[in-house]
């Protein structure tokens, strides 16, 4: 955590203050041993006057031998300094040609959260293929998890049936029953029925246990799941929004190609007005041989705030070549919003058989379809909500479209695959960033952001006290003013929440 105060400032700048930014560590080889650090000195100091001036000018915080334990005599000549000064430290060192050489600034490592789950480990061992959990790599999940792991968010999955005792799901469901009907998800014949295992599969795409407990990992990471059996599915989704306050609703089904009744449309609009993000599958290539016709009830043609998702493969192609060489696609039409991985997605499968006995491990398998693509986007939306709880469905859709990566063969499907393939990191970063351009921040205010702030040509009002708390970074660009008597502070805090 860093805290920085600005008082009585009027300046033009282009500054980035970031949570990942560390004090500068610079390594060099000492040629003049009179410049070596004096042991037990309370401040960095040597017997070389010129080098002492350098240490003072650049506010060096630490000056020590790099490898005092080394048996290599050449390595013993290497020292390092630590400073937070951003001016040309390297240039000053290079100017002292008789004192130092071989100068190297050690960059801070860029952290990425890598789940410990077995299948994610296998994914790292098999990069650039469509094996294991390739889809999480493709959408930049690790960098998104560095910002947030979805704490405090809820995704309602309206689907067939759910194996709530699956090792990758048993800690993820808020209830072990449908909250609307109170029917428990413990009917073994339903859990084991291949036609009804769809809900187990889709929920594992949203929020399978990540970092322990099972074998999978999911984009939603710590987001929780509310399961609803899909009979009267729109009403169940309505209940999830208005009664359970779900942040996101994931829909991987349709019921017709025709516009639904007015009361259903009213229910859908009320969910969106309530702030609930709705993510719906666009349909598959087997949709009654009508891949280019929109499906209902959850369609952007009902309300353009709905996010409609179709599929891409591990090479970012919408057109998929099956193992037999045949060419296939999932649905594509003008109301599609975005693509997400939807071919060869590893999902959870039932742990029990129809007679109630334990199924043989592993309880996993590959799935294909927009039924997998949509819940992946729903999980991304949950991460976006965790950094910005006030994120509206309209803004969530806009951000997803603006931050998408290109679809490799989009030209083959004009106006059919939306704005591109979802990028979780870019979407979460954009959702959690607050922008102030040509703005005056006045009064006593504590502002927070789930990712960061962009201040451009901004200023602090007279006699004001403004504090910004961000999870990752604060960008200050252009003219920035803090008048006499006002206070401005920045705090980079890993667990900050937007408000």
């Amino acid at each position: 955590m860093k805290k920085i105060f600005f008082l009585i400032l009027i300046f033009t700048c282009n500054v980035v203050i970031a949570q990942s930014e560390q004090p500068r560590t610079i390594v060099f080889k000492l040629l003049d041993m009179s410049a070596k650090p004096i042991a037990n000195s309370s401040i960095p100091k040597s017997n070389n006057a010129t080098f002492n001036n350098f240490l003072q000018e650049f506010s060096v915080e630490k000056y020590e031998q790099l490898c005092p334990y080394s048996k290599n005599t050449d390595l013993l000549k290497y020292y390092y300094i630590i400073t937070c000064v951003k001016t040309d430290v390297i240039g000053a060192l290079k100017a002292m040609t008789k004192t130092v050489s071989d100068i190297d600034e050690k960059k801070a490592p860029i952290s990425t959260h890598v789940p410990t789950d077995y299948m994610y480990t296998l994914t790292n061992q098999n990069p650039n293929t469509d094996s294991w959990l390739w889809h999480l790599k493709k959408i930049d999940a690790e960098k998104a998890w560095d910002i947030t792991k979805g704490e405090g968010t809820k995704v309602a999955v309206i689907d067939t049936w759910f194996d709530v005792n699956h090792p990758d799901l048993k800690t993820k469901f808020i209830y072990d029953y449908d909250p609307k009907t109170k029917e428990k998800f413990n009917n073994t014949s339903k859990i084991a029925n291949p036609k009804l295992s769809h809900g187990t599969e889709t929920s594992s795409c949203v929020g399978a246990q990540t970092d322990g407990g099972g074998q999978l990992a999911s984009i939603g990471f710590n987001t929780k799941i509310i399961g609803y059996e899909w009979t009267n599915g729109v009403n169940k989704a309505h209940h999830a929004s208005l009664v359970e306050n779900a942040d996101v609703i994931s829909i991987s089904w349709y019921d017709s190609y025709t516009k639904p009744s007015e009361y259903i449309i009213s229910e859908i609009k009320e969910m969106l007005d309530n702030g609930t993000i709705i993510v719906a599958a666009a349909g598959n290539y087997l949709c009654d041989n009508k891949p280019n016709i929109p499906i209902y009830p959850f369609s952007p043609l009902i309300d353009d705030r709905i996010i409609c998702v179709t599929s891409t493969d591990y090479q970012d192609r919408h057109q998929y070549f099956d193992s037999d060489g045949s060419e296939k696609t999932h649905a594509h039409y003008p109301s599609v919003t975005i693509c997400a991985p939807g071919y060869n997605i590893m999902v959870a499968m039932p742990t029990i058989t129809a007679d109630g006995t334990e199924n043989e491990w592993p309880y996993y398998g590959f799935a294909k379809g927009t039924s997998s693509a949509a819940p992946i986007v729903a999980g991304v939306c949950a991460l976006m909500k965790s950094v910005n709880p006030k994120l509206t469905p309209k803004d969530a859709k806009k951000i997803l479209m603006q931050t998408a990566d290109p679809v490799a063969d989009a030209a083959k499907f004009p106006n059919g695959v939306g704005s591109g393939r979802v990028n979780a990191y870019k979407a979460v970063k954009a959702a959690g960033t607050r922008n102030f351009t040509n703005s005056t921040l006045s009064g006593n205010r504590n502002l927070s952001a789930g990712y960061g702030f962009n201040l451009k040509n901004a200023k602090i009002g007279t006699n004001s006290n403004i504090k910004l708390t961000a999870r990752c970074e604060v960008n200050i660009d252009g003219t920035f003013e803090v008048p006499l008597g006002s206070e401005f502070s920045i705090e980079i805090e890993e667990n900050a929440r937007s408000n």
Side-chain angles (χ1 to χ4, degrees):
M1 182 187 297
K2 309 184 187 77
K3 195 169 185 178
I4 301 169
F5 291 92
F6 293 86
L7 294 173
I8 321 172
L9 301 177
I10 299 178
F11 58 95
T12 299
C13 61
N14 191 331
V15 179
V16 177
I17 300 167
Q19 190 256 342
S20 60
E21 180 182 297
Q22 300 293 327
R24 300 176 70 180
T25 301
I26 301 169
V27 177
F28 51 85
K29 188 175 184 179
L30 202 58
L31 303 178
D32 182 351
M33 297 313 292
S34 71
K36 71 178 182 179
I38 296 175
N40 302 319
S41 174
S42 59
I43 59 172
K45 191 175 181 180
S46 74
N47 290 317
N48 184 302
T50 302
F51 201 76
N52 282 345
N53 289 336
F54 163 82
L55 295 173
Q56 185 174 3
E57 178 183 355
F58 291 96
S59 302
V60 171
E61 298 176 356
K62 197 169 188 178
Y63 175 31
E64 292 184 358
Q65 194 173 19
L66 182 66
C67 305
Y69 46 81
S70 177
K71 296 179 180 179
N72 183 317
T73 55
D74 197 53
L75 273 178
L76 291 173
K77 298 176 182 178
Y78 281 84
Y79 290 77
Y80 73 96
I81 62 170
I82 295 177
T83 177
C84 289
V85 174
K86 301 306 175 189
T87 50
D88 192 11
V89 181
I90 299 295
L93 281 169
K94 287 182 176 179
M96 292 186 283
T97 56
K98 295 182 179 180
T99 306
V100 299
S101 67
D102 200 9
I103 302 160
D104 179 35
E105 181 169 1
K106 310 307 294 181
K107 301 295 184 181
I110 300 172
S111 65
T112 52
H113 187 92
V114 181
T116 59
D117 308 272
Y118 179 61
M119 290 188 187
Y120 205 84
T121 301
L122 294 176
T123 305
N124 284 328
Q125 294 172 0
N126 296 273
N128 303 317
T129 68
D130 59 350
S131 63
W132 303 108
L133 305 177
W134 67 271
H135 64 284
L136 296 176
K137 288 284 190 181
K138 175 62 69 173
I139 65 173
D140 247 349
E142 290 178 12
K143 290 169 70 177
W145 293 330
D146 281 342
I147 302 172
T148 178
K149 297 180 179 65
E151 293 85 354
T153 57
K154 298 182 289 187
V155 177
V157 180
I158 320 298
D159 217 299
T160 54
W161 208 252
F162 306 94
D163 185 351
V164 295
N165 291 314
H166 192 286
D168 269 292
L169 295 172
K170 64 183 179 180
T171 66
K172 302 311 299 289
F173 279 87
I174 294 176
Y175 310 112
D176 62 356
Y177 56 85
D178 182 321
K180 182 72 189 291
T181 65
K182 309 302 181 185
E183 183 177 8
K184 281 186 169 289
F185 298 125
N186 60 359
N187 186 316
T188 56
S189 62
K190 286 186 177 181
I191 294 171
N193 187 333
K195 293 182 179 180
L196 298 180
S197 65
H198 194 258
T200 300
E201 299 170 20
T202 58
S203 57
S204 70
C205 291
V206 171
Q209 178 71 46
T210 307
D211 261 0
Q215 306 295 329
L216 284 174
S218 73
I219 183 58
F221 212 106
N222 287 334
T223 193
K224 292 292 187 178
I225 301 170
I226 308 171
Y228 285 85
E229 195 273 330
W230 67 359
T231 302
N232 198 9
V234 176
N235 186 252
K236 297 288 184 68
H238 189 259
H239 185 276
S241 173
L242 274 75
V243 178
E244 294 295 334
N245 297 310
D247 296 292
V248 185
I249 293 174
S250 180
I251 303 293
S252 292
W253 48 271
Y254 75 105
D255 59 22
S256 72
Y257 293 106
T258 59
K259 194 173 180 179
S261 302
E262 285 300 319
Y263 81 91
I264 290 178
I265 294 174
S266 295
E267 285 183 301
I268 291 173
K269 288 185 176 295
E270 188 174 17
M271 297 178 224
L272 293 161
D273 291 342
N274 193 45
T276 306
I277 299 169
I278 298 176
V279 181
N284 298 341
Y285 60 89
L286 295 177
C287 285
D288 302 333
N289 297 316
K290 299 177 180 179
N292 304 325
I293 297 177
I295 55 177
Y296 293 96
F298 292 99
S299 167
L301 298 179
I302 295 295
D303 191 302
D304 63 8
R305 292 173 290 179
I306 292 173
I307 298 164
C308 182
V309 186
T310 193
S311 302
T312 46
D313 70 2
Y314 80 104
Q315 292 181 320
D316 281 331
R317 301 173 304 190
H318 177 60
Q319 188 175 42
Y320 175 73
F321 294 86
D322 214 342
S323 56
D324 60 4
S326 60
E327 299 179 20
K328 298 175 180 177
T329 70
H330 292 159
H332 43 269
Y333 43 78
S335 53
V336 166
T337 306
I338 199 165
C339 295
Y343 299 101
N344 291 348
I345 306 299
M346 183 66 76
V347 296
M349 294 292 186
T351 58
I352 56 177
T353 63
D355 61 5
T357 59
E358 185 176 349
N359 209 347
E360 291 186 16
W361 191 93
Y363 326 112
Y364 307 94
F366 282 107
K368 299 177 184 179
T370 57
S371 286
S372 300
I376 289 171
V377 173
V380 173
C381 289
L383 297 186
M384 294 166 69
K385 271 285 211 177
S386 75
V387 297
N388 184 359
K390 293 185 178 181
L391 185 70
T392 67
K394 181 179 179 179
D395 287 341
K397 182 172 182 175
K398 181 179 178 181
I399 289 170
L400 286 171
M401 296 177 73
Q402 289 178 338
T403 58
D405 289 334
V407 172
D409 59 355
K412 294 182 180 179
F413 310 95
N415 300 315
V417 292
S419 62
R421 190 258 305 141
V422 67
N423 183 300
Y425 166 64
K426 293 178 183 177
V428 171
K429 178 179 177 180
T433 299
R434 300 181 69 173
N435 300 291
F436 293 95
T437 301
N438 299 321
S439 301
T440 300
L441 301 177
S442 300
N444 295 320
R445 301 175 65 186
N446 293 327
L447 303 173
S448 63
Y451 177 77
F453 290 89
N454 290 327
L455 305 180
K456 185 173 183 179
N457 297 328
K459 60 183 179 180
I460 305 303
T462 304
N463 296 321
S464 295
N465 186 339
I466 303 297
K467 178 181 178 180
L468 304 183
T469 303
R471 188 169 283 178
C472 294
E473 69 180 33
V474 175
N475 298 284
I476 302 175
D477 190 14
T479 300
F480 184 70
E481 300 179 10
V482 181
L484 180 66
S486 293
E487 184 172 329
F488 172 61
S489 63
I490 295 172
E491 190 171 287
I492 306 299
E493 184 176 356
E494 183 178 1
N495 296 317
R497 290 295 300 267
S498 173
N499 62 32

